[in-house]
Amino acid sequence: MHSNKDGDNWLEAIAKPLLEHLPALYPIEEWDGSMDARIEALVPAMMTQGSPGQESYGMAIKAGLFLLNESLDKSHDIAQEITNATGSYWHALMHRMEGDYSNAKYWFNDVGHHPIFSNLLQCVSEYLTVKDLADLDNEALRQKLEVLITSPEWIPCVFIDIVELQVSLVQNPIVDQWLRHIQRYEMQLLLQYCYEQSCGGSLLEAIGQK
């Protein structure tokens, strides 16, 4: 395991608390300013096995950590320099969280079918069921949520529409919690994927969660 320059293990000091955090759908400012400084000190090479081919995933980890800390601009600065589908995924998430929903869809179109989609759909369908939606007053939101959780494939643009409806119009506190949990599943799975590509092995095992 690698350590950051002030001696803390980056997995324990940075990744673990951020993976436990529940980011807002529309963050106003970073969650923890001191965490931003810790992430800033990370060098992507610290999160790879030394192969040049893994460097982009080390950068993607850093972009993801910033986004989990709700530090949108800093995440964007990194994600826009990553030319693979995973970089585009972090880029899309950042635009969704800043409320630029059309731009988020543009970048998801660039992502295509990402390897985390099947696991994400499984997490969401286990977390939220059609029965949970029965009491929703907003018909458009209920229908889109039903499509999201019953579709045989993950449809990122449907989730973007749901987030936009919730943030811009509905503002239901229960739905807010649902969507934030789904968003966290998505970000956790994407960060785990980046870790597998850059470091090898399981991120959850590395931070002692499994």
Side-chain angles (χ1 to χ4, degrees), residues 142-188:
R142 187 191 62 75
Q143 288 182 355
K144 284 187 176 292
L145 276 164
E146 188 168 332
V147 168
L148 187 76
I149 63 181
T150 60
S151 170
E153 295 184 345
W154 179 253
I155 312 174
C157 288
V158 171
F159 189 56
I160 292 171
D161 289 341
I162 292 166
V163 171
E164 182 175 10
L165 268 172
Q166 165 62 18
V167 171
S168 304
L169 178 66
V170 180
Q171 298 180 5
N172 181 315
I174 295 173
V175 174
D176 181 72
Q177 287 298 302
W178 289 347
L179 301 187
R180 288 173 69 181
H181 276 87
I182 292 170
Q183 176 175 262
R184 183 169 64 180
Y185 286 136
E186 184 175 32
M187 296 169 80
Q188 287 174 338

Side-chain angles (χ1 to χ4, degrees), residues 4 18 26-27 43 47 51 58 60 82 106 108 128 131 137 145 150 166 174 176 181 185 196 198-199 205:
N4 66 16
L18 287 175
Y26 183 64
V43 177
M47 298 172 285
S51 167
I82 304 170
Y106 170 87
F108 268 118
L128 197 63
K131 282 185 177 181
D137 293 333
L145 276 164
T150 60
Q166 165 62 18
I174 295 173
D176 181 72
H181 276 87
Y185 286 136
E196 289 169 6
S198 64
C199 304
E205 288 180 2

Side-chain angles (χ1 to χ4, degrees), residues 61-91:
I61 288 175
K62 193 168 178 177
L65 294 172
F66 273 128
L67 204 57
L68 280 160
N69 198 42
E70 303 172 68
S71 188
L72 304 189
D73 288 343
K74 289 180 180 178
S75 179
H76 182 257
D77 287 345
I78 299 172
Q80 68 181 350
E81 300 298 326
I82 304 170
T83 57
N84 59 30
T86 298
S88 295
Y89 204 139
W90 287 121
H91 201 159

Side-chain angles (χ1 to χ4, degrees), residues 96-110:
R96 191 182 71 206
M97 291 170 75
E98 75 167 351
D100 189 350
Y101 302 111
S102 61
N103 213 356
K105 289 180 179 180
Y106 170 87
W107 284 101
F108 268 118
N109 185 61
D110 199 57

